[in-house]
Amino acid sequence: MILTRRSFLKWSAALGGSAALVGGLKFGLEDVGAANERESQILSTCCYHNCGGRCILNAEVRDGVILRILPDQSAEDSFDNPRAIPCVAGRAIKRWVYAPERLKYPMKRVGTRGEGKFERISWEEALDTIASEMIRIKEEYGNDAFYCNYATGQLAGGIDMTYKDLGPMSRVFHLFGGYVNFYGTYSDACYSAVQPYITATDNNSDDDLVNSKLIVLFADNSLVTRAGGKGGGYHYLKAKEAGAKFIVVDPRQSATAVTLDADWVPINPGTDVAFIAALAYVMVEEDLHDKEFMATHSIGFDESNLPEGAPSNSSWMAYLKGDADGTPKTPEWAAPITGIPADRIIQLAHEMANTKPCAIIQGLGWQRRAYGEQPVRALPVLAAMTGNFGIKGGGTGMRYRINLGFAGGYFPAGINPIQKSIPVFMWPDYIERGKEMTSGPKDRIKGAEKLEANMKFMWNWAGNTLVNQHSDINRTKKLLEDDSKLEFIVVGDVMMTPSAKFADILLPETTHYEIEDVISGKGEGKTDFVLFNHKLIEPMYECKNILWIAEQVADRLGFGDEFRDGHETREDWLKDMVVAAQEGDEDFPTYEELKKAGLYKIIGQGSVIAAADFREVPESNPLGTETGKIEIYSPHLAAQNDPNEIPAIPKYIPEWEGVSDPLREIYPLMMVGHHAVQRIHSTYDNVDYLQEVHPQALWINSWDAADRGIKNGDEVKVFNERGVVYIPAKVTNRIRPGVTSVPQGAWYTPDEEGNDIRGSVNVLTKYHPTPYAKGNPQHTNLVQVEKA
Ligand code: SF4
């Protein structure tokens, strides 16, 4: 059921308006009465970081101080209308807002870049410097020298959002003549690059999982990565309640595997395509696959449905049988590569082929690897072969889909006059040799044949990929320290992060709890919402919001009036955004109604069964791929003429720094990273409560630990040729021998010798873009571990 405007009003009246004084409200909280006596207010807000979810929060505020964060109370908690309950990080917001690391006033660099030496300056001086540097660099190098770095620390606001072409500062840069953009993300670069060339669709929506009998997760840890609210983690728990069995394929026995009592398949990192090929081999050998579907719905399954011009023996069947390379992809072939015994592979092939419906789902961890494009393309083949593609409870083998709800409107940033973009991971190349970067296979820039300048100006707002979240921190530092290359860096943030230390001008930003905004939900599961984000407290210290900063910069660049376009106040913009939202939804409340109620919600969105119509009649309902079918053989990828690294069909490609790299004689352990419960990427790493609940530690198998004389809790040295990290060890059998994992996102903290002492994984990761997507391979690394 979608709430009509009438029902919305009725519903909000029942709540009494979340922005009002607590007196008279009924939130179903036992202690509301106590709050009332203290004359607190309960105000609607949300958690706005990049976990993939968007949890509704109610903040109790008194005398201008946040007292505590209360969970969503807007629903009765049914499957159609679940509460968006925050995770442990979302509940720690108070400790984050009041953290001692808050930036307090504008500063300018006084030492070597990156040294972290700054001098306090006025806002006037900071803004004048930014504007004059923008003018200087534009005159000297042109607009191709400007870049806004990937950043997701501020990822929710209608106004306070600085991600890619959104938000007030994008409007400034657009009016200024534009900047070079990026494509792809650090989360899903390989997935988003190849999805159009295999299925061109995602999986069924996550709420459909309750219809599955068997759910097989590859590299998916949704009970951590989509922990809060009503996203994937919630739907896994609902599917478990409904009786589904789970299998988790992962080098780590993740929290998802443990919580769901899943069968754990502890695979060697980077070998998933060998595993998938062996499963497929068994299905073909034993005639367990859906032959008719593969013949009518796919391209390149066997030699009979290859596209015109494809060479012989280039089909998936030919690959499985070894017709071209002489190596049949048998379970016995895959066993030493994957570390999964051959009889276990055979048993799993039987179970997946014979249980219907079976949802086969991929996460994103396995595509942040050296050849991350390949597993993304291989898994849908298995979903198709097992007869699950396009059916209820089954799916396409891609990521589960997030239902699209609605948006509460966004700040009108305008259009970037420069339609050039680089792969998101390759910004260091843009600094070093931007003028040499082209649309060719080495760089794959989009929107132009080449760039006209190296990067000279970087705007880095609410982001930590400048240093902390990008590969090979020591390499990045060296590059940024040389201010003759990248001449000017503006960083805006709420905390003194490792990236903030590399600013030339450092600006203190308000948190989302110090401003008003309109925030759109994430469309997870059966509900979606638009929320009025109340200002809980006055801006702290000298912090300013991005709208004010953008206006000030626009004034100094001479187009303040054009920027404002008649909007004098923040509320003017918010009201316009609501009007825009009303144009797309006749039931959308007015600005005043939304502000009073705090929340506008859609309930009972329908499930999406991806490609169901394609399954029924493929001719009339083609997929969005070039051929309209499941492209096991991709004509587009074949045309890249790089069969070893970008094969036309998905293949297992042995990785550099992978299971079979001879470098293992020096660095024997394969190191991956994983999402930590205590952080959202690097956000919250400074929150004391969260550090205490989930201390940073290296996961190492008890056999590997015993070989090295390491006991649980010992401080260890993790190293390779790129750097050294000191971190306590968590000795556990929840990670396979030969593999180790560092929870990603810890803030890089060097000692006097430049060795990290906090467990920052990117000291050890490699800057080596993937072949097609040019994505980040941050889980492909070899290291050695010693007792410190
Ligand atoms: S799951 Fe946690 S981090 Fe994500 S939106 Fe909810 S509270 Fe925030």
Side-chain angles (χ1 to χ4, degrees), residues 665-694:
E665 286 183 16
I666 304 170
Y667 303 114
L669 298 175
M670 292 174 276
M671 188 202 74
V672 296
H674 65 267
H675 284 277
V677 178
Q678 70 269 34
R679 289 185 293 272
I680 306 306
H681 301 291
S682 68
T683 302
Y684 296 128
D685 190 47
N686 59 320
V687 174
D688 50 0
Y689 280 13
L690 295 173
Q691 286 170 27
E692 200 176 320
V693 175
H694 294 283

mmCIF file of all heavy atoms in Angstrom, residues 665-694:
data_model
loop_
_atom_site.group_PDB
_atom_site.id
_atom_site.type_symbol
_atom_site.label_atom_id
_atom_site.label_comp_id
_atom_site.label_asym_id
_atom_site.label_seq_id
_atom_site.Cartn_x
_atom_site.Cartn_y
_atom_site.Cartn_z
ATOM 1 N N GLU A 665 56.622 -17.110 -2.143
ATOM 2 C CA GLU A 665 57.790 -17.622 -1.409
ATOM 3 C C GLU A 665 58.337 -16.565 -0.454
ATOM 4 O O GLU A 665 58.910 -16.877 0.579
ATOM 5 C CB GLU A 665 58.874 -18.059 -2.397
ATOM 6 C CG GLU A 665 58.479 -19.357 -3.071
ATOM 7 C CD GLU A 665 59.535 -19.873 -4.003
ATOM 8 O OE1 GLU A 665 60.677 -19.418 -3.920
ATOM 9 O OE2 GLU A 665 59.171 -20.726 -4.825
ATOM 10 N N ILE A 666 58.138 -15.307 -0.817
ATOM 11 C CA ILE A 666 58.593 -14.213 0.065
ATOM 12 C C ILE A 666 57.434 -13.723 0.945
ATOM 13 O O ILE A 666 57.598 -13.505 2.141
ATOM 14 C CB ILE A 666 59.141 -13.038 -0.781
ATOM 15 C CG1 ILE A 666 60.256 -13.536 -1.694
ATOM 16 C CG2 ILE A 666 59.648 -11.918 0.130
ATOM 17 C CD1 ILE A 666 60.699 -12.520 -2.733
ATOM 18 N N TYR A 667 56.284 -13.545 0.307
ATOM 19 C CA TYR A 667 55.096 -13.061 1.025
ATOM 20 C C TYR A 667 54.010 -14.133 0.901
ATOM 21 O O TYR A 667 53.206 -14.110 -0.042
ATOM 22 C CB TYR A 667 54.623 -11.724 0.439
ATOM 23 C CG TYR A 667 55.694 -10.650 0.462
ATOM 24 C CD1 TYR A 667 56.230 -10.138 -0.716
ATOM 25 C CD2 TYR A 667 56.173 -10.163 1.680
ATOM 26 C CE1 TYR A 667 57.215 -9.169 -0.695
ATOM 27 C CE2 TYR A 667 57.163 -9.189 1.712
ATOM 28 C CZ TYR A 667 57.682 -8.695 0.523
ATOM 29 O OH TYR A 667 58.663 -7.738 0.554
ATOM 30 N N PRO A 668 53.975 -15.094 1.812
ATOM 31 C CA PRO A 668 53.150 -16.286 1.597
ATOM 32 C C PRO A 668 51.652 -16.121 1.837
ATOM 33 O O PRO A 668 50.873 -16.971 1.394
ATOM 34 C CB PRO A 668 53.737 -17.284 2.602
ATOM 35 C CG PRO A 668 54.390 -16.449 3.647
ATOM 36 C CD PRO A 668 54.823 -15.187 3.001
ATOM 37 N N LEU A 669 51.246 -15.070 2.537
ATOM 38 C CA LEU A 669 49.827 -14.972 2.908
ATOM 39 C C LEU A 669 49.064 -14.049 1.958
ATOM 40 O O LEU A 669 49.522 -12.952 1.641
ATOM 41 C CB LEU A 669 49.694 -14.459 4.344
ATOM 42 C CG LEU A 669 50.308 -15.356 5.425
ATOM 43 C CD1 LEU A 669 50.235 -14.687 6.796
ATOM 44 C CD2 LEU A 669 49.601 -16.712 5.457
ATOM 45 N N MET A 670 47.897 -14.535 1.525
ATOM 46 C CA MET A 670 47.027 -13.696 0.684
ATOM 47 C C MET A 670 46.214 -12.794 1.613
ATOM 48 O O MET A 670 45.490 -13.299 2.473
ATOM 49 C CB MET A 670 46.091 -14.579 -0.147
ATOM 50 C CG MET A 670 46.820 -15.378 -1.198
ATOM 51 S SD MET A 670 45.720 -16.526 -2.053
ATOM 52 C CE MET A 670 45.733 -17.902 -0.924
ATOM 53 N N MET A 671 46.351 -11.500 1.436
ATOM 54 C CA MET A 671 45.649 -10.577 2.340
ATOM 55 C C MET A 671 44.462 -9.921 1.657
ATOM 56 O O MET A 671 44.592 -9.358 0.572
ATOM 57 C CB MET A 671 46.596 -9.490 2.834
ATOM 58 C CG MET A 671 45.985 -8.607 3.930
ATOM 59 S SD MET A 671 46.790 -7.007 4.073
ATOM 60 C CE MET A 671 46.191 -6.163 2.630
ATOM 61 N N VAL A 672 43.311 -10.003 2.290
ATOM 62 C CA VAL A 672 42.127 -9.281 1.824
ATOM 63 C C VAL A 672 41.771 -8.239 2.886
ATOM 64 O O VAL A 672 42.399 -8.177 3.940
ATOM 65 C CB VAL A 672 40.937 -10.248 1.599
ATOM 66 C CG1 VAL A 672 41.249 -11.235 0.501
ATOM 67 C CG2 VAL A 672 40.569 -10.991 2.885
ATOM 68 N N GLY A 673 40.785 -7.437 2.602
ATOM 69 C CA GLY A 673 40.249 -6.517 3.607
ATOM 70 C C GLY A 673 38.800 -6.904 3.846
ATOM 71 O O GLY A 673 38.219 -7.634 3.049
ATOM 72 N N HIS A 674 38.231 -6.476 4.936
ATOM 73 C CA HIS A 674 36.782 -6.688 5.085
ATOM 74 C C HIS A 674 36.159 -5.492 5.794
ATOM 75 O O HIS A 674 36.843 -4.725 6.466
ATOM 76 C CB HIS A 674 36.471 -8.007 5.810
ATOM 77 C CG HIS A 674 36.926 -8.081 7.238
ATOM 78 N ND1 HIS A 674 38.137 -8.607 7.614
ATOM 79 C CD2 HIS A 674 36.319 -7.710 8.392
ATOM 80 C CE1 HIS A 674 38.270 -8.564 8.935
ATOM 81 N NE2 HIS A 674 37.184 -8.014 9.421
ATOM 82 N N HIS A 675 34.853 -5.362 5.580
ATOM 83 C CA HIS A 675 34.136 -4.257 6.222
ATOM 84 C C HIS A 675 34.047 -4.511 7.721
ATOM 85 O O HIS A 675 33.690 -5.606 8.146
ATOM 86 C CB HIS A 675 32.728 -4.113 5.644
ATOM 87 C CG HIS A 675 32.717 -3.483 4.296
ATOM 88 N ND1 HIS A 675 32.756 -2.119 4.115
ATOM 89 C CD2 HIS A 675 32.676 -4.017 3.067
ATOM 90 C CE1 HIS A 675 32.737 -1.852 2.818
ATOM 91 N NE2 HIS A 675 32.693 -2.998 2.157
ATOM 92 N N ALA A 676 34.354 -3.491 8.480
ATOM 93 C CA ALA A 676 34.353 -3.625 9.927
ATOM 94 C C ALA A 676 33.023 -3.132 10.489
ATOM 95 O O ALA A 676 32.456 -2.160 9.987
ATOM 96 C CB ALA A 676 35.495 -2.793 10.493
ATOM 97 N N VAL A 677 32.559 -3.787 11.527
ATOM 98 C CA VAL A 677 31.302 -3.376 12.160
ATOM 99 C C VAL A 677 31.442 -2.001 12.796
ATOM 100 O O VAL A 677 30.488 -1.235 12.868
ATOM 101 C CB VAL A 677 30.904 -4.420 13.236
ATOM 102 C CG1 VAL A 677 29.635 -4.009 13.960
ATOM 103 C CG2 VAL A 677 30.744 -5.789 12.609
ATOM 104 N N GLN A 678 32.660 -1.676 13.240
ATOM 105 C CA GLN A 678 32.851 -0.446 14.009
ATOM 106 C C GLN A 678 33.002 0.798 13.156
ATOM 107 O O GLN A 678 33.124 1.893 13.703
ATOM 108 C CB GLN A 678 34.071 -0.582 14.932
ATOM 109 C CG GLN A 678 35.431 -0.617 14.253
ATOM 110 C CD GLN A 678 35.887 -2.032 13.905
ATOM 111 O OE1 GLN A 678 35.071 -2.881 13.587
ATOM 112 N NE2 GLN A 678 37.179 -2.278 13.949
ATOM 113 N N ARG A 679 33.033 0.636 11.833
ATOM 114 C CA ARG A 679 33.213 1.806 10.956
ATOM 115 C C ARG A 679 32.311 1.682 9.736
ATOM 116 O O ARG A 679 31.907 0.579 9.368
ATOM 117 C CB ARG A 679 34.653 1.883 10.422
ATOM 118 C CG ARG A 679 35.695 2.239 11.406
ATOM 119 C CD ARG A 679 37.046 2.385 10.706
ATOM 120 N NE ARG A 679 37.530 1.115 10.198
ATOM 121 C CZ ARG A 679 38.265 0.258 10.895
ATOM 122 N NH1 ARG A 679 38.628 0.558 12.118
ATOM 123 N NH2 ARG A 679 38.654 -0.879 10.366
ATOM 124 N N ILE A 680 32.050 2.820 9.105
ATOM 125 C CA ILE A 680 31.471 2.815 7.774
ATOM 126 C C ILE A 680 32.605 3.299 6.885
ATOM 127 O O ILE A 680 32.884 4.487 6.820
ATOM 128 C CB ILE A 680 30.254 3.754 7.663
ATOM 129 C CG1 ILE A 680 29.239 3.417 8.753
ATOM 130 C CG2 ILE A 680 29.645 3.677 6.279
ATOM 131 C CD1 ILE A 680 28.796 1.976 8.805
ATOM 132 N N HIS A 681 33.286 2.381 6.226
ATOM 133 C CA HIS A 681 34.555 2.666 5.577
ATOM 134 C C HIS A 681 35.480 3.314 6.623
ATOM 135 O O HIS A 681 35.765 2.677 7.607
ATOM 136 C CB HIS A 681 34.353 3.494 4.311
ATOM 137 C CG HIS A 681 33.461 2.786 3.329
ATOM 138 N ND1 HIS A 681 33.846 1.648 2.665
ATOM 139 C CD2 HIS A 681 32.192 3.020 2.946
ATOM 140 C CE1 HIS A 681 32.865 1.223 1.905
ATOM 141 N NE2 HIS A 681 31.837 2.019 2.055
ATOM 142 N N SER A 682 35.856 4.580 6.420
ATOM 143 C CA SER A 682 36.739 5.159 7.444
ATOM 144 C C SER A 682 35.980 6.065 8.412
ATOM 145 O O SER A 682 36.568 6.556 9.376
ATOM 146 C CB SER A 682 37.885 5.922 6.787
ATOM 147 O OG SER A 682 37.398 7.062 6.139
ATOM 148 N N THR A 683 34.697 6.285 8.159
ATOM 149 C CA THR A 683 33.911 7.127 9.061
ATOM 150 C C THR A 683 33.708 6.398 10.387
ATOM 151 O O THR A 683 33.419 5.202 10.393
ATOM 152 C CB THR A 683 32.536 7.444 8.434
ATOM 153 O OG1 THR A 683 32.740 8.086 7.187
ATOM 154 C CG2 THR A 683 31.711 8.346 9.333
ATOM 155 N N TYR A 684 33.814 7.126 11.465
ATOM 156 C CA TYR A 684 33.657 6.623 12.843
ATOM 157 C C TYR A 684 34.920 5.960 13.390
ATOM 158 O O TYR A 684 34.884 5.433 14.495
ATOM 159 C CB TYR A 684 32.511 5.603 12.963
ATOM 160 C CG TYR A 684 31.126 6.121 12.686
ATOM 161 C CD1 TYR A 684 30.284 5.488 11.784
ATOM 162 C CD2 TYR A 684 30.633 7.239 13.356
ATOM 163 C CE1 TYR A 684 29.010 5.941 11.539
ATOM 164 C CE2 TYR A 684 29.351 7.706 13.115
ATOM 165 C CZ TYR A 684 28.543 7.050 12.199
ATOM 166 O OH TYR A 684 27.271 7.507 11.955
ATOM 167 N N ASP A 685 36.031 5.965 12.630
ATOM 168 C CA ASP A 685 37.203 5.277 13.178
ATOM 169 C C ASP A 685 37.703 5.940 14.450
ATOM 170 O O ASP A 685 38.406 5.325 15.242
ATOM 171 C CB ASP A 685 38.337 5.203 12.146
ATOM 172 C CG ASP A 685 39.443 4.281 12.632
ATOM 173 O OD1 ASP A 685 39.107 3.166 13.092
ATOM 174 O OD2 ASP A 685 40.618 4.660 12.596
ATOM 175 N N ASN A 686 37.341 7.207 14.631
ATOM 176 C CA ASN A 686 37.795 7.919 15.829
ATOM 177 C C ASN A 686 36.788 7.839 16.977
ATOM 178 O O ASN A 686 36.987 8.503 17.997
ATOM 179 C CB ASN A 686 38.047 9.394 15.492
ATOM 180 C CG ASN A 686 36.808 10.076 14.951
ATOM 181 O OD1 ASN A 686 36.072 9.487 14.173
ATOM 182 N ND2 ASN A 686 36.556 11.305 15.353
ATOM 183 N N VAL A 687 35.726 7.065 16.827
ATOM 184 C CA VAL A 687 34.710 7.029 17.891
ATOM 185 C C VAL A 687 35.119 6.018 18.960
ATOM 186 O O VAL A 687 35.202 4.813 18.697
ATOM 187 C CB VAL A 687 33.319 6.693 17.302
ATOM 188 C CG1 VAL A 687 32.299 6.510 18.416
ATOM 189 C CG2 VAL A 687 32.885 7.806 16.357
ATOM 190 N N ASP A 688 35.372 6.518 20.155
ATOM 191 C CA ASP A 688 35.927 5.684 21.227
ATOM 192 C C ASP A 688 35.045 4.477 21.562
ATOM 193 O O ASP A 688 35.528 3.366 21.726
ATOM 194 C CB ASP A 688 36.196 6.543 22.470
ATOM 195 C CG ASP A 688 34.998 7.402 22.873
ATOM 196 O OD1 ASP A 688 33.959 7.338 22.189
ATOM 197 O OD2 ASP A 688 35.089 8.138 23.878
ATOM 198 N N TYR A 689 33.731 4.674 21.643
ATOM 199 C CA TYR A 689 32.845 3.557 22.011
ATOM 200 C C TYR A 689 33.005 2.402 21.015
ATOM 201 O O TYR A 689 33.050 1.238 21.393
ATOM 202 C CB TYR A 689 31.374 3.987 21.939
ATOM 203 C CG TYR A 689 30.844 4.762 23.120
ATOM 204 C CD1 TYR A 689 31.699 5.292 24.073
ATOM 205 C CD2 TYR A 689 29.471 4.951 23.274
ATOM 206 C CE1 TYR A 689 31.187 6.010 25.145
ATOM 207 C CE2 TYR A 689 28.964 5.663 24.342
ATOM 208 C CZ TYR A 689 29.825 6.192 25.267
ATOM 209 O OH TYR A 689 29.335 6.904 26.321
ATOM 210 N N LEU A 690 33.058 2.767 19.747
ATOM 211 C CA LEU A 690 33.079 1.722 18.707
ATOM 212 C C LEU A 690 34.420 0.997 18.699
ATOM 213 O O LEU A 690 34.476 -0.210 18.478
ATOM 214 C CB LEU A 690 32.778 2.340 17.340
ATOM 215 C CG LEU A 690 31.361 2.920 17.227
ATOM 216 C CD1 LEU A 690 31.180 3.678 15.921
ATOM 217 C CD2 LEU A 690 30.318 1.818 17.340
ATOM 218 N N GLN A 691 35.483 1.724 18.967
ATOM 219 C CA GLN A 691 36.801 1.077 19.054
ATOM 220 C C GLN A 691 36.815 0.052 20.177
ATOM 221 O O GLN A 691 37.410 -1.014 20.067
ATOM 222 C CB GLN A 691 37.881 2.116 19.342
ATOM 223 C CG GLN A 691 38.232 2.986 18.167
ATOM 224 C CD GLN A 691 39.134 4.134 18.593
ATOM 225 O OE1 GLN A 691 39.870 4.048 19.569
ATOM 226 N NE2 GLN A 691 39.067 5.236 17.879
ATOM 227 N N GLU A 692 36.119 0.390 21.267
ATOM 228 C CA GLU A 692 36.122 -0.501 22.417
ATOM 229 C C GLU A 692 35.299 -1.762 22.128
ATOM 230 O O GLU A 692 35.698 -2.875 22.481
ATOM 231 C CB GLU A 692 35.533 0.250 23.616
ATOM 232 C CG GLU A 692 35.900 -0.359 24.930
ATOM 233 C CD GLU A 692 35.384 0.479 26.095
ATOM 234 O OE1 GLU A 692 35.442 1.713 26.030
ATOM 235 O OE2 GLU A 692 34.897 -0.138 27.057
ATOM 236 N N VAL A 693 34.193 -1.580 21.451
ATOM 237 C CA VAL A 693 33.313 -2.722 21.175
ATOM 238 C C VAL A 693 33.934 -3.648 20.138
ATOM 239 O O VAL A 693 33.856 -4.868 20.249
ATOM 240 C CB VAL A 693 31.937 -2.216 20.676
ATOM 241 C CG1 VAL A 693 31.050 -3.385 20.261
ATOM 242 C CG2 VAL A 693 31.254 -1.416 21.762
ATOM 243 N N HIS A 694 34.563 -3.068 19.112
ATOM 244 C CA HIS A 694 35.149 -3.870 18.033
ATOM 245 C C HIS A 694 36.578 -3.398 17.778
ATOM 246 O O HIS A 694 36.825 -2.623 16.861
ATOM 247 C CB HIS A 694 34.329 -3.734 16.736
ATOM 248 C CG HIS A 694 32.970 -4.304 16.840
ATOM 249 N ND1 HIS A 694 32.718 -5.648 16.782
ATOM 250 C CD2 HIS A 694 31.782 -3.719 17.008
ATOM 251 C CE1 HIS A 694 31.431 -5.869 16.918
ATOM 252 N NE2 HIS A 694 30.833 -4.712 17.059
#
